[in-house]
Amino acid sequence: MSYKEKLEKCGVNWPSLSRPDLPFAPTKRIGDTLYVSGQIPEVADEIAYIGQVGKEIDVEMALQSAKICAANIVYWVEKALDGDLDRVVQMAKMNIFINAVPGFTAYSQVGNGASEIMNALFGERGEHARCALGMGGLPANVPVEIDAVFHVR
């Protein structure tokens, strides 16, 4: 099964993104380490979810946002590796930032959406260290933003 098919089996379409006009790159490779800039729940140049978790966004919507962020990470990794995701040796780390109201505590539950995507796509190579943090706000008022680090060849 292809990576695209695996992603669609998780309920997320393969992204179609364009490089944003920002003063930083979507990815940066240094040796065998590939850093992926923070990804938001963007679908084809539109932000799929906007709002704070626990206010405008419920846990299920936040979980879906995390899945979209993870898919966008994989999209940029594929671009950085010339279309060959088999060059991913191991996902090392993922940081999940959740824009939530005070008192919200289901950060790990939201983050699991992204972790499940990586495990489904890469198997053992997708197992990673992780941090899920609550934020008082995120760019464009998105509910979730995720960055990642990969070991690649």
Side-chain angles (χ1 to χ4, degrees):
M1 186 180 306
S2 74
Y3 290 99
K4 291 178 184 180
E5 290 169 333
K6 289 177 185 179
L7 185 61
E8 288 172 1
K9 191 174 179 183
C10 294
V12 182
N13 292 326
W14 189 261
S16 175
L17 302 170
S18 57
R19 183 177 169 156
D21 185 22
L22 297 169
F24 56 87
T27 61
K28 184 66 177 175
R29 184 171 177 173
I30 301 171
D32 292 337
T33 303
L34 181 66
Y35 298 89
V36 184
S37 293
Q39 298 299 305
I40 62 173
E42 184 177 13
V43 176
D45 298 329
E46 297 289 327
I47 298 174
Y49 296 96
I50 296 175
Q52 199 171 34
V53 182
K55 191 173 181 185
E56 300 91 355
I57 302 291
D58 64 24
V59 172
E60 284 304 312
M61 294 165 74
L63 185 80
Q64 188 63 26
S65 293
K67 288 182 178 184
I68 294 168
C69 293
N72 292 347
I73 287 169
V74 173
Y75 175 85
W76 289 116
V77 169
E78 184 197 47
K79 294 292 181 204
L81 299 177
D82 301 319
D84 187 0
L85 287 171
D86 288 337
R87 290 174 53 198
V88 170
V89 174
Q90 183 68 54
M91 180 176 200
K93 173 83 177 191
M94 189 163 39
N95 293 305
I96 302 160
F97 306 98
I98 302 158
N99 176 11
V101 297
F104 182 78
T105 60
Y107 301 112
S108 288
Q109 183 180 344
V110 172
N112 286 347
S115 293
E116 290 166 4
I117 293 287
M118 296 306 177
N119 293 334
L121 265 60
F122 297 110
E124 288 182 12
R125 297 179 301 136
E127 189 174 316
H128 53 276
R130 184 182 96 178
C131 183
L133 299 169
M135 301 283 124
L138 289 171
N141 197 32
V142 295
V144 179
E145 181 175 355
I146 304 175
D147 69 4
V149 180
F150 290 81
H151 177 70
V152 299
R153 57 183 147 94

